[in-house]
Coordinates of all heavy atoms in Angstrom, one line a residue:
N315 N 48.8 -53.7 -14.7 CA 49.2 -52.4 -14.1 C 49.2 -51.3 -15.1 O 49.7 -50.1 -14.8 CB 50.6 -52.5 -13.4 CG 50.5 -53.4 -12.2 OD1 49.5 -53.4 -11.4 ND2 51.6 -54.2 -12.0
N316 N 48.7 -51.5 -16.3 CA 48.6 -50.5 -17.4 C 50.0 -49.8 -17.7 O 50.0 -48.6 -18.0 CB 47.6 -49.4 -16.9 CG 46.9 -48.7 -18.1 OD1 46.7 -49.4 -19.1 ND2 46.6 -47.5 -18.0
L317 N 51.0 -50.6 -17.7 CA 52.3 -50.1 -18.0 C 52.7 -50.1 -19.5 O 53.6 -49.5 -19.9 CB 53.4 -50.9 -17.3 CG 53.4 -50.9 -15.8 CD1 54.5 -51.7 -15.2 CD2 53.4 -49.4 -15.3
Y318 N 51.9 -50.8 -20.3 CA 52.1 -50.9 -21.8 C 51.4 -49.7 -22.4 O 50.5 -49.8 -23.2 CB 51.6 -52.2 -22.3 CG 52.0 -52.5 -23.8 CD1 53.4 -52.6 -24.0 CD2 51.1 -52.7 -24.8 CE1 53.8 -52.8 -25.3 CE2 51.6 -52.9 -26.1 CZ 52.9 -53.0 -26.4 OH 53.3 -53.3 -27.6
Q319 N 51.9 -48.5 -22.0 CA 51.4 -47.2 -22.4 C 52.6 -46.2 -22.6 O 53.6 -46.4 -22.0 CB 50.4 -46.6 -21.4 CG 49.2 -47.5 -21.1 CD 48.1 -47.4 -22.2 OE1 48.0 -46.4 -22.9 NE2 47.4 -48.5 -22.4
L320 N 52.4 -45.2 -23.4 CA 53.4 -44.2 -23.5 C 53.6 -43.5 -22.1 O 52.6 -43.2 -21.4 CB 53.0 -43.1 -24.5 CG 53.3 -43.5 -26.0 CD1 52.5 -42.6 -26.9 CD2 54.8 -43.4 -26.3
D321 N 54.8 -43.2 -21.7 CA 55.1 -42.5 -20.5 C 56.3 -41.6 -20.6 O 57.1 -41.8 -21.6 CB 55.3 -43.6 -19.4 CG 55.0 -43.0 -18.0 OD1 54.7 -41.8 -17.9 OD2 55.1 -43.8 -17.0
V322 N 56.4 -40.7 -19.7 CA 57.6 -39.8 -19.7 C 58.4 -40.1 -18.5 O 57.9 -40.0 -17.3 CB 57.1 -38.3 -19.7 CG1 58.3 -37.4 -19.7 CG2 56.2 -38.0 -20.9
L323 N 59.6 -40.5 -18.6 CA 60.4 -41.0 -17.5 C 60.9 -39.9 -16.6 O 61.2 -40.1 -15.4 CB 61.6 -41.9 -18.1 CG 61.2 -43.1 -19.0 CD1 62.4 -43.9 -19.3 CD2 60.1 -43.9 -18.3
D324 N 61.2 -38.7 -17.2 CA 61.7 -37.6 -16.4 C 60.9 -36.3 -16.8 O 61.4 -35.5 -17.5 CB 63.2 -37.4 -16.7 CG 63.8 -36.2 -15.9 OD1 63.1 -35.7 -14.9 OD2 64.9 -35.8 -16.3
P325 N 59.6 -36.2 -16.4 CA 58.8 -35.1 -16.9 C 59.3 -33.7 -16.5 O 59.2 -32.8 -17.4 CB 57.4 -35.4 -16.2 CG 57.7 -36.3 -15.1 CD 58.9 -37.1 -15.4
V326 N 59.8 -33.6 -15.3 CA 60.3 -32.2 -14.9 C 61.5 -31.9 -15.7 O 61.6 -30.8 -16.3 CB 60.6 -32.2 -13.4 CG1 61.2 -30.9 -13.0 CG2 59.3 -32.4 -12.6
G327 N 62.5 -32.8 -15.8 CA 63.7 -32.5 -16.6 C 63.4 -32.3 -18.0 O 64.0 -31.4 -18.7
M328 N 62.5 -33.1 -18.6 CA 62.2 -32.9 -20.0 C 61.6 -31.6 -20.3 O 61.9 -30.9 -21.3 CB 61.2 -34.0 -20.5 CG 60.8 -33.9 -21.9 SD 59.7 -35.2 -22.4 CE 59.2 -34.6 -24.0
K329 N 60.7 -31.1 -19.5 CA 60.0 -29.8 -19.6 C 61.0 -28.7 -19.6 O 61.0 -27.8 -20.4 CB 58.9 -29.6 -18.6 CG 58.2 -28.3 -18.8 CD 57.0 -28.2 -17.7 CE 56.4 -26.9 -17.8 NZ 55.7 -26.6 -19.1
E330 N 61.9 -28.8 -18.6 CA 63.0 -27.8 -18.4 C 63.9 -27.7 -19.6 O 64.3 -26.6 -20.1 CB 63.8 -28.0 -17.2 CG 63.0 -27.8 -15.9 CD 63.8 -28.1 -14.6 OE1 64.8 -28.7 -14.8 OE2 63.3 -27.8 -13.5
R331 N 64.3 -28.9 -20.2 CA 65.2 -28.9 -21.3 C 64.6 -28.7 -22.6 O 65.3 -28.2 -23.5 CB 65.9 -30.3 -21.3 CG 66.9 -30.5 -20.2 CD 67.5 -31.9 -20.2 NE 66.5 -33.0 -19.8 CZ 66.1 -33.9 -20.6 NH1 66.5 -34.0 -21.8 NH2 65.3 -34.8 -20.1
L332 N 63.3 -29.0 -22.8 CA 62.7 -29.0 -24.1 C 62.0 -27.8 -24.5 O 62.0 -27.4 -25.7 CB 61.8 -30.3 -24.2 CG 61.1 -30.5 -25.6 CD1 62.1 -30.7 -26.7 CD2 60.1 -31.6 -25.5
E333 N 61.2 -27.2 -23.6 CA 60.2 -26.2 -24.0 C 60.7 -25.1 -25.0 O 60.2 -25.0 -26.1 CB 59.5 -25.6 -22.8 CG 58.2 -24.9 -23.1 CD 57.3 -24.8 -21.9 OE1 57.8 -24.2 -20.9 OE2 56.2 -25.3 -22.0
Q334 N 61.7 -24.3 -24.5 CA 62.1 -23.3 -25.4 C 63.0 -23.8 -26.5 O 63.0 -23.3 -27.6 CB 62.9 -22.2 -24.6 CG 63.2 -20.9 -25.4 CD 61.9 -20.3 -26.0 OE1 60.9 -20.2 -25.3 NE2 62.0 -19.9 -27.3
K335 N 63.8 -24.8 -26.2 CA 64.6 -25.4 -27.2 C 63.8 -25.8 -28.4 O 64.2 -25.6 -29.6 CB 65.5 -26.5 -26.7 CG 66.3 -27.2 -27.7 CD 67.1 -28.4 -27.2 CE 68.4 -27.9 -26.5 NZ 69.3 -29.0 -26.1

Side-chain angles (χ1 to χ4, degrees):
N315 292 323
N316 207 33
L317 296 181
Y318 193 58
Q319 302 283 329
L320 280 163
D321 205 354
V322 181
L323 304 186
D324 178 18
V326 175
M328 179 179 168
K329 182 177 175 63
E330 289 176 349
R331 287 178 287 117
L332 181 63
E333 195 159 57
Q334 189 56 44
K335 177 180 279 192

